[in-house]
């Protein structure tokens, strides 16, 4: 099996792959010149509803297990394969570290609908974010299955 991953260096790439449960037998740096991998950002897939649903379910599980919001976001940021979604999570986490409410940090990104943001805001206000989120998940999954 082959996998491609972006990382700062080979050691970080190996760690990220091992964190995903993969056995690393060999790591090759991308080619240079004519052997280089060409990426066209306009053609890269942005995060979609399925990515958002998986993120939400995993976040609710981590929060329910007692991890802090910042810990959970950091873990999800590292595990997210979609580069654009990873960047959004990085920005959301930075905003929260800067003192912004989670719902406010989410509202800065088009990916998170007003309904999503308001659901998070209601959970922040009531203190029961994970239970309200978990109740909504089954109906949401049907729309992308």
């Amino acid at each position: 099996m082959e996998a491609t991953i972006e990382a700062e260096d080979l050691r970080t790439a190996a760690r990220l792959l091992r964190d995903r449960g993969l056995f690393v037998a060999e790591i090759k740096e991308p080619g240079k010149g004519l052997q280089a991998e060409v990426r066209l950002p306009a053609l890269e897939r942005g995060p979609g509803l399925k990515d958002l649903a998986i993120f939400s379910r995993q976040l609710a599980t981590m929060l329910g297990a007692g991890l802090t919001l910042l810990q959970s976001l950091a873990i999800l940021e590292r595990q997210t394969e979609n580069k654009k979604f990873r960047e959004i999570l990085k920005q959301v986490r930075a905003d929260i570290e800067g003192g912004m409410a989670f719902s406010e940090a989410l509202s800065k990104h088009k990916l998170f609908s007003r309904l999503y943001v308001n659901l998070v805001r209601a959970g922040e206000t009531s203190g029961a974010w994970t239970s309200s989120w978990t109740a909504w998940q089954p109906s949401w999954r049907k729309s992308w299955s």
Side-chain angles (χ1 to χ4, degrees):
M1 176 175 132
E2 287 187 30
T4 302
I5 191 165
E6 282 189 38
E8 295 175 15
D9 54 37
L10 295 176
R11 177 177 287 149
T12 303
R15 183 182 50 78
L16 290 171
L17 291 168
R18 280 193 305 273
D19 288 350
R20 293 181 183 171
L22 299 172
F23 174 77
V24 179
E26 179 182 22
I27 296 181
K28 295 180 186 176
E29 288 192 64
K32 306 249 186 290
L34 294 175
Q35 301 297 318
E37 182 178 326
V38 177
R39 290 184 174 246
L40 302 173
L43 298 178
E44 288 183 12
R45 182 182 70 83
L49 186 58
K50 185 173 183 176
D51 296 311
L52 191 55
I54 292 168
F55 160 78
S56 302
R57 185 177 64 238
Q58 290 175 334
L59 180 61
T61 300
M62 288 181 197
L63 294 173
L67 273 70
T68 67
L69 177 60
L70 288 173
Q71 289 172 328
S72 301
L73 289 173
I75 291 167
L76 292 170
E77 180 186 327
R78 284 193 308 269
Q79 293 178 347
T80 299
E81 293 180 16
N82 185 296
K83 186 177 178 179
K84 292 178 181 180
F85 195 28
R86 190 178 327 123
E87 186 58 35
I88 290 171
L89 294 179
K90 182 178 181 177
Q91 291 170 5
V92 167
R93 191 169 52 84
D95 286 341
I96 294 169
E97 287 172 338
M100 194 176 286
F102 184 36
S103 59
E104 188 178 351
L106 294 176
S107 70
K108 293 173 61 177
H109 303 278
K110 291 188 301 183
L111 172 65
F112 302 101
S113 68
R114 285 191 321 167
L115 175 61
Y116 192 103
V117 171
N118 286 333
L119 183 62
V120 171
R121 187 172 289 122
E124 288 171 334
T125 303
S126 70
W129 188 83
T130 55
S131 61
S132 65
W133 197 256
T134 306
W136 191 50
Q137 280 286 316
S139 63
W140 200 26
R141 271 189 235 138
K142 291 176 189 171
S143 65
W144 59 265
S145 298

